[in-house]
Amino acid sequence: MAQKMPPYAVLVDDYPLPRPIAGHPALEFCNTWAGWADPDTHGSEWLTDFDRFVVWARFTGLITEAAAGRLRGRTATAVLGRARALRTALYDVALRRDGAGLAVLAAEAEEANRSTRLVATGSTIHFELPDDRDPLLPLRSVALSAVELLGGPDRDAIRACPGDGCGWLFLDRRGRRVWCSMAACGNRAKVRAHAARNK
């Protein structure tokens, strides 16, 4: 029997993962935790093991299919712990700009940057992470993606969903987006508003 997915989830390699809604991989990474806006709850973890982290990183385009294949099935508990700490730090910095998480983000980004190599692709020369068997590859890819976002023009377009208990992040470049998803938080808000009007 097929697994029924909520509107904010998608099945990837038999793992339920949050549907991409944010507009940038670094924000999608923050959205692998559910419950940012409700600290009194225990929240919900999407990245329950390292294999899911690898699948998520491939799904969002941060690592290649080949790299994911080399990393799948490994147990890298320490890397997963660092990834979760980076996620919390990134969420803090994304919303507060110079929050307490900046030191964590800086440490991971600086280590990731030291791991890059200068490569030539066609007519361009650029830095990239080696596509190897290092279990730190997904973490380093997230860290560099976060710096790219926070150092660019989209930094001021980051918003947090105001839905009950949500807080998922997304880019609002036009200044008109309210919800992480109309199918989830937006629809729930419409239902509540309709019920309130009919009371």
Side-chain angles (χ1 to χ4, degrees):
M1 182 176 176
Q3 185 175 355
K4 182 171 171 52
M5 290 285 101
Y8 51 83
V10 62
L11 204 60
V12 182
D13 292 352
D14 294 326
Y15 291 146
L17 292 174
R19 188 177 296 278
I21 55 91
H24 194 280
L27 301 183
E28 305 293 3
F29 180 59
C30 289
N31 296 346
T32 60
W33 173 259
W36 291 112
D38 193 354
D40 294 331
T41 69
H42 294 294
S44 178
E45 178 64 74
W46 293 85
L47 303 180
T48 55
D49 54 45
F50 180 72
D51 199 58
R52 290 170 202 253
F53 182 33
V54 171
V55 169
W56 173 86
R58 179 198 48 81
F59 176 58
T60 54
L62 287 175
I63 65 173
T64 65
E65 185 81 37
R70 289 190 289 271
L71 294 172
R72 294 284 314 266
R74 297 177 71 168
T75 302
T77 306
V79 175
L80 185 62
R82 283 172 61 179
R84 290 173 178 168
L86 175 60
R87 182 179 59 191
T88 300
L90 176 55
Y91 191 90
D92 180 54
V93 174
L95 292 182
R96 295 168 187 83
R97 304 302 189 251
D98 58 353
L102 186 59
V104 175
L105 173 59
E108 293 292 358
E110 287 165 11
E111 180 182 316
N113 196 48
R114 286 193 297 270
S115 302
T116 60
R117 303 288 184 266
L118 188 66
V119 297
T121 306
S123 61
T124 66
I125 298 175
H126 60 277
F127 283 100
E128 69 179 28
L129 289 167
D131 196 3
D132 57 20
R133 298 175 182 273
D134 191 335
L136 288 167
L137 178 62
L139 175 64
R140 289 173 175 159
S141 298
V142 168
L144 293 180
S145 174
V147 170
E148 179 267 328
L149 171 65
L150 296 173
D154 279 337
R155 176 177 181 156
D156 292 331
I158 298 172
R159 303 287 182 267
C161 179
D164 285 349
C166 184
W168 271 7
L169 302 182
F170 56 85
L171 291 178
D172 178 26
R173 295 185 180 100
R174 296 180 184 170
R176 296 198 298 259
R177 185 173 174 183
V178 176
W179 310 104
C180 63
S181 166
M182 277 307 298
C185 289
N187 188 54
R188 285 193 290 268
K190 284 171 61 177
V191 168
R192 282 193 301 270
H194 179 74
R197 285 194 301 271
N198 291 335
K199 275 187 177 180

